[in-house]
Amino acid sequence: MAGDYADRLDPSQYDNDLIVALYRKDPADSFDVPERVFRRLVQVAKGYELHLLPMLGDTEPVSLSAPMIQTRLHELRFVGDRLNDPVTDLWISRLLPVVQAVAWEGPSASLTVEGE
């Protein structure tokens, strides 16, 4: 197994993390992802020189338009397909339906991503 690093593959280790929030209009209605998990996804995306994921997760909110939301879906799937990581698998499986639901809103879709 992962030896001294096994805790990094345990989803419960991220329960008390700061969060990266995804929301449509109201931050109070956000879908929250542990910051370290989100950062892991971003770092893998950077390694593959993807376009959108590396720009997300800072403390400043980033608003995504409908085309950017579609790109986000593709990049999340791409990153997830490359990893053998139960933590990212769990969070990608939770993120995809949330992002897809916003994408179904069509050309006026908007999604904000904001870290703490």
Side-chain angles (χ1 to χ4, degrees), residues 14-34:
Y14 303 89
D15 289 347
N16 297 314
D17 270 22
L18 295 174
I19 55 107
V20 173
L22 290 81
Y23 55 90
R24 291 177 179 159
K25 292 180 176 47
D26 184 0
D29 295 327
S30 67
F31 178 82
D32 300 335
V33 179

Side-chain angles (χ1 to χ4, degrees), residues 2-62:
D4 292 337
Y5 304 106
D7 62 326
R8 288 164 176 86
L9 301 175
D10 177 1
S12 69
Q13 294 296 312
Y14 303 89
D15 289 347
N16 297 314
D17 270 22
L18 295 174
I19 55 107
V20 173
L22 290 81
Y23 55 90
R24 291 177 179 159
K25 292 180 176 47
D26 184 0
D29 295 327
S30 67
F31 178 82
D32 300 335
V33 179
E35 183 181 52
R36 288 183 295 158
V37 174
F38 198 87
R39 196 172 345 138
R40 187 179 303 177
L41 296 172
V42 166
Q43 293 300 323
V44 172
K46 282 181 182 180
Y48 282 103
E49 299 177 358
L50 301 183
H51 176 69
L52 184 63
L53 268 173
M55 298 182 344
L56 304 176
D58 289 332
T59 56
E60 291 298 315
V62 176

